Amino acid sequence: MTNPLYDMLLGARADSAAPLLHLAGDGVVTYAAMDASAARVAGLLRARGLGRGDRLAMQTAKSPEALALYLGCVRAGVIVLPLNTAYTPDEMAYFIGDASPKLVVVDPSAEAALGQPAREAGATILTLDAEGAGSLTEALADATPTDAPEPCSGDDLACLLYTSGTTGRSKGAMLSHDNLVSNARTLMACWRFTSDDVLLHALPIFHAHGLFVACNVAMAAGASMIWQPGFDAGAVIAALPRASVMMGVPTFYTRLLADEAFTREVAGHMRLFTSGSAPLLAETHDAFRARTGHAILERYGMTETGMNTSNPYDGDRRAGTVGRPLPGVELRVTDPETAAPLPEGETGMIEVRGPNVFKGYWQMPEKTAEELRADGWFITGDLGVVSADGYVTIVGRQKDLIITGGYNVYPREVEAVLDDQPGVSESAVIGLPHPDFGEGVVAVVVPEPGAAPDLDAIAGAVRSQLANYKRPKHYLLRDALPRNTMGKVQKNALRAEHAALFSGTPEDMAKAGG
Ligand code: AMP
């Protein structure tokens, strides 16, 4: 038996002096050095009694040492839980209780607050700070590296990746070696990664995008990464001339476009920009193309499945779509009520099946049964439509679907009209509790910098383009939409903030257009 994920990431290049990470300044971490670090981590884990199938939770800043910790877990057959650095101690206590890791690695500042939940779960805590220092690093100095990766089967779990949990408790998606290996190999081929590539890596590594799409694909190809601790437009612009590929969330691209130093020359040497984790506005796609000549390649995936669809490397990268299903991934659209497959061109629930689809939710058999069918189809929770030539368009999450007076309103359709109006930078359309209609459609509009959009004119444009029941009953202006670190608009936060909009006095209701 081998260790499928480790073999793909590092095993094949364990002795290679080729660069893996380019750090700030002239620092370089080679493949061989990273393999040695991972072997040391694996040795420490073994000495501390962690073996195949045990869990390790990590909530650490992005650093080469944090990457080595992930890779050391894979080498040791230990299931790793990468956790968002924004989680509070209370949230961390939930993850520690749920996953019962034997070891928890956190920033030194979080150690005291996590002492009790760790003790209750029988876990010890080690620390790692943003500079790579802490009790983990001290313990590693005395660790004996393991000679070889721990043998694992393709079905063994490599990772528990918690969903962002915008509705209810976060769930631990169980991802196997085969899930991660198959997806990385598929993306590497589709996006033509080779060992000559230099990936500009500015994403966080606690999320599938930065860890499994970016790091795993780059390492599977033997490519190197320009390793930046986070997204900073100036640092990205300075590094782009040395890179060949960049992966980003849509906000990376809007921020680059907002910077005059981001020119055609800066991007001239790049061969690929990809976008995902949230919808890329067609307007951003077009503006990026006009500025740089590059068509951003948009793809679609999620924690539970890795990547499902991608626009083509060669061929039409269609703005506003997420492209076609990846090789080996089946995708269908079903009726959310009856689960019957829908004919092409009809909007419904996106379901996917393939080697990328996870093994279920950790210790949640009922949730797993609700979302993962016995025949392997995963109900994504995303609503979408497939064109005659196979391109998938996502219209939103099912939980964001608005049902008003018995009619379905897909927020994306209304947002597209609003985004086209003069002075509008972007918008979010939400449903709020409404005494008559169940939910009332509400538009949250963000003006372009310095603009004051004419809401009456916007309402007029909406009237001319959309059926009555789809039209917002109320418009709210705000400077920015609330987003999480992956650039996703937090509609639940907007709904919570304005929950009482339609529940006031009759006078309030009249004002709210209800
Ligand atoms: P996560 O599990 O945090 O990766 O979030 C997955 C969700 O992000 C998906 O179910 C989609 O709702 C959304 N998502 C990912 N990529 C895209 C995309 N290219 N366009 C629209 N939504 C996306």
Side-chain angles (χ1 to χ4, degrees):
M1 227 196 289
T2 54
N3 181 314
L5 184 56
Y6 196 84
D7 293 348
M8 176 187 79
L9 296 174
L10 275 175
R13 268 168 280 272
D15 300 320
S16 167
L20 168 60
L21 303 181
H22 302 280
L23 309 177
D26 289 332
V28 166
V29 179
T30 64
Y31 272 87
M34 188 54 87
D35 179 73
S37 298
R40 203 167 271 285
V41 170
L44 176 73
L45 299 183
R46 181 182 285 177
R48 296 222 166 199
L50 279 84
R52 188 171 158 201
D54 288 328
R55 272 88 52 212
L56 179 147
M58 57 186 285
Q59 187 195 33
T60 56
K62 181 179 174 183
S63 66
E65 291 77 9
L67 184 64
L69 182 58
Y70 156 64
L71 294 164
C73 289
V74 177
R75 182 176 171 106
V78 168
I79 304 169
V80 63
L81 282 73
L83 294 164
N84 194 322
T85 45
Y87 287 139
T88 62
D90 277 358
E91 288 166 320
M92 285 295 290
Y94 165 74
F95 296 117
I96 292 170
D98 191 52
S100 54
K102 281 195 173 162
L103 194 62
V104 177
V105 181
V106 291
D107 188 81
S109 62
E111 187 177 14
L114 295 180
Q116 194 188 338
R119 263 193 309 281
E120 282 167 11
T124 31
I125 299 186
L126 288 176
T127 61
L128 181 66
D129 70 15
E131 272 69 51
S135 56
L136 171 71
T137 307
E138 287 159 24
L140 283 171
D142 299 325
T144 310
T146 58
D147 295 337
E150 182 74 14
C152 294
S153 88
D155 264 344
D156 279 355
L157 299 186
C159 185
L160 273 189
L161 197 56
Y162 278 81
T163 58
S164 38
T166 44
T167 47
R169 278 293 194 192
S170 210
K171 300 170 288 224
M174 300 190 285
L175 295 162
S176 70
H177 281 245
D178 277 352
N179 289 151
L180 300 177
V181 168
S182 70
N183 212 226
R185 290 206 187 285
T186 301
L187 295 174
M188 184 179 109
C190 288
W191 297 344
R192 310 275 168 85
F193 264 78
T194 72
S195 57
D196 291 335
D197 272 312
V198 182
L199 172 73
L200 200 157
H201 195 306
L203 291 160
I205 56 166
F206 52 70
H207 187 269
H209 194 167
L211 193 58
F212 301 144
V213 186
C215 294
N216 285 5
V217 171
M219 293 180 76
S224 64
M225 298 184 262
I226 297 176
W227 194 250
Q228 301 197 333
F231 181 85
D232 173 88
V236 167
I237 290 167
L240 272 176
R242 290 182 286 126
S244 62
V245 184
M246 177 170 146
M247 296 184 186
V249 293
T251 36
F252 284 16
Y253 296 115
T254 49
R255 286 191 210 162
L256 284 175
L257 285 168
D259 195 319
E260 282 172 10
F262 182 62
T263 59
R264 187 171 278 256
E265 291 67 43
V266 164
H269 157 265
M270 296 289 285
R271 70 168 184 86
L272 180 65
F273 290 91
T274 71
S275 178
S277 292
L280 181 76
L281 293 181
E283 194 179 86
T284 310
H285 187 278
D286 295 344
F288 198 88
R289 189 171 212 161
R291 176 89 63 95
T292 65
H294 286 283
I296 297 173
L297 180 155
E298 185 169 7
R299 93 299 179 280
Y300 155 65
M302 56 199 308
T303 302
E304 292 91 335
T305 63
M307 298 304 104
N308 296 313
T309 72
S310 172
N311 270 282
Y313 190 82
D314 293 317
D316 189 12
R317 297 183 193 164
R318 225 170 270 172
T321 81
V322 293
R324 296 192 175 99
L326 288 163
V329 178
E330 294 173 89
L331 184 145
R332 68 181 185 190
V333 174
T334 57
D335 183 323
E337 302 297 320
T338 66
L342 291 174
E344 172 193 293
E346 284 194 25
T347 299
M349 176 63 71
I350 297 179
E351 300 191 15
V352 295
R353 180 162 76 174
N356 54 317
V357 172
F358 75 141
K359 301 288 164 202
Y361 294 113
W362 175 256
Q363 290 182 339
M364 289 188 176
E366 302 83 23
K367 277 275 164 215
T368 303
E370 275 169 29
E371 294 178 28
L372 188 57
R373 300 187 193 282
D375 59 1
W377 286 100
F378 175 61
I379 306 164
T380 62
D382 289 315
L383 300 170
V385 57
V386 183
S387 70
D389 56 356
Y391 280 68
V392 178
T393 299
I394 304 207
V395 298
R397 299 284 298 161
Q398 187 187 31
K399 65 178 194 313
D400 294 331
L401 175 74
I402 303 166
I403 305 181
T404 182
Y407 291 106
N408 287 358
V409 177
Y410 297 105
R412 179 87 182 258
E413 188 187 357
V414 186
E415 289 159 5
V417 175
L418 297 174
D419 293 346
D420 269 352
Q421 303 310 311
V424 174
S425 163
E426 58 176 350
S427 62
V429 168
I430 54 173
L432 295 177
H434 190 289
D436 285 341
F437 296 103
E439 284 184 297
V441 180
V442 172
V444 182
V445 172
V446 178
E448 278 169 358
D454 177 346
L455 291 181
D456 289 336
I458 291 179
V462 165
R463 261 196 306 280
S464 69
Q465 294 185 48
L466 294 175
N468 184 25
Y469 66 92
K470 296 179 188 172
R471 296 175 201 153
K473 297 194 185 314
H474 192 76
Y475 290 84
L476 298 164
L477 280 174
R478 32 185 310 153
D479 292 343
L481 298 175
R483 292 182 191 276
N484 71 7
T485 35
M486 299 310 292
K488 289 186 215 296
V489 175
Q490 302 298 75
K491 288 196 170 175
N492 53 333
L494 286 175
R495 283 190 288 259
E497 198 177 317
H498 301 289
L501 186 73
F502 294 121
S503 63
T505 61
E507 293 76 45
D508 291 340
M509 292 284 290
K511 261 194 275 166

